[in-house]
Amino acid sequence: MGFAQPRIAGQSGRGYLLGSKDMRRDESCFIDRRAFCGAGLAIVACTAAGAQAPAPLPPEQFPLDTEEQRIADLVTANHILADQGVLDSYGHVTARSLKNPKHFLMSRNRAPGLVTAEDIMEFDENSLPVDQKGRQIYNERFIHGEIFRARPDVMAVVHSHAPDVLPFSVTDAPLKAMIHMAHFIGSDPVPVFDLETVEGPRNGMLVLNSRAGAALAQKLGNRNLVLMRGHGMTVVGPNVRRATYNAVYTQINARAEMEALKLGKPKFMNEFEVQRVGQINRAWEAWADHAKGARSS
């Protein structure tokens, strides 16, 4: 199961799922009578009030997907996540290679805020560098490699030590979608990966091999993120921009949830509310501009 598409309201019962391939021709003209009457009354009410129904959001335009564009987005993502405080000097971001989908792209071992296009390296399906050229590489690259292996739908991975998610990785308090911009977290608690279950009590708290990386990928399952006990989080997305958005708003949601817990019991988003899909390019452009300004100042 990959990234879920939002369901259409009213699809249960006598309605149908838009775009269903097995929909019979005569069903394409079927309209539930109650839905028709309800829509008619709504139109009358809106007309009487002089209001208009909001126009649907146009689909977002993304640059042509090339290997070069993925590298460019990867560099920008490193800068954004460092600037937003999601990545410290030890976090990292990856993108699946377009030329060879079994491979992935990742910076050499360098602080995210300093990454350039020249730092990006290619790694194979076993998380080994294709051409290391004497460059130092990240120890925890297995996080990324094993997720790409287990999840063909994932095109980008962010591993972060974001401080605001850490309390949820070591307590029984569940991290769940609470603010609308973090809908992708879901209405169920985010799973927590404990390296001790794989490496035993004498572990170094780091994912340093394929076995541990595969266990992390299994704990992630079909979700958009997984917490790591006392370590941080790993977030995925269908492209670098979405994964970056997810990482930023996971941290913001965690921060808001901790504040809400001080006041009482938070009300989380329900199963329908989390199906919304938000725009990301507006945020991406603003974050990239801010990160560029921070780097030049």
Side-chain angles (χ1 to χ4, degrees), residues 9-260:
Q11 69 183 36
S12 59
R14 297 181 63 193
Y16 54 83
L17 181 63
L18 296 183
S20 177
K21 294 181 180 178
D22 60 354
M23 190 191 338
R24 295 194 302 272
R25 184 176 181 180
D26 60 336
E27 287 178 322
S28 65
C29 298
F30 174 77
I31 302 177
D32 186 274
R33 183 163 52 191
R34 289 171 297 176
F36 176 80
C37 293
L41 290 173
I43 292 171
V44 171
C46 287
T47 303
Q52 292 184 345
L57 291 172
E60 291 198 90
Q61 299 297 315
F62 293 92
L64 182 65
D65 190 14
T66 64
E67 194 84 343
E68 292 71 24
Q69 185 60 51
R70 292 192 183 192
I71 291 173
D73 278 357
L74 193 56
V75 172
T76 302
N78 273 278
H79 298 168
I80 287 174
L81 292 168
D83 184 58
Q84 293 292 317
V86 177
L87 293 184
D88 56 9
S89 297
Y90 301 95
H92 23 81
V93 193
T94 52
R96 189 185 293 274
S97 171
L98 182 63
K99 294 180 180 179
N100 187 340
K102 290 184 177 182
H103 292 194
F104 62 95
L105 307 169
M106 186 181 207
S107 171
R108 67 181 175 92
N109 192 329
R110 195 175 192 190
L114 303 177
V115 169
T116 68
E118 290 70 32
D119 295 317
I120 304 303
M121 302 172 60
E122 181 179 349
F123 292 80
D124 67 16
E125 60 269 34
N126 296 312
S127 301
L128 298 175
V130 173
D131 188 1
Q132 189 166 355
K133 296 180 180 178
R135 293 171 289 186
Q136 188 175 1
I137 55 180
Y138 292 119
N139 291 328
E140 290 195 293
R141 59 194 182 277
F142 301 98
I143 291 173
H144 305 261
E146 294 305 319
I147 289 176
F148 284 127
R149 189 198 303 274
R151 291 278 300 273
D153 59 313
V154 168
M155 296 296 143
V157 179
V158 177
H159 172 59
S160 163
H161 307 142
D164 291 304
V165 306
L166 288 172
F168 296 96
S169 76
V170 295
T171 66
D172 293 332
L175 178 61
K176 300 166 64 175
M178 191 184 77
I179 62 174
H180 76 291
M181 298 298 281
H183 54 87
F184 57 86
I185 292 177
S187 55
D188 293 326
V190 174
V192 180
F193 173 71
D194 188 346
L195 186 64
E196 186 177 4
T197 62
V198 182
E199 303 287 7
R202 298 176 65 86
N203 67 83
M205 297 291 286
L206 298 177
V207 178
L208 300 177
N209 54 59
S210 294
R211 180 181 67 255
L216 174 65
Q218 183 178 26
K219 178 62 73 171
L220 170 67
N222 65 356
R223 301 291 295 273
N224 289 317
L225 70 147
V226 60
L227 298 179
M228 303 167 68
R229 179 182 64 84
H231 188 151
M233 66 178 180
T234 297
V235 184
V236 302
N239 54 58
V240 173
R241 298 186 181 201
R242 178 65 69 178
T244 301
Y245 174 99
N246 290 354
V248 171
Y249 276 105
T250 294
Q251 166 126 309
I252 294 173
N253 187 95
R255 190 180 305 143
E257 186 177 334
M258 283 195 291
E259 290 300 313

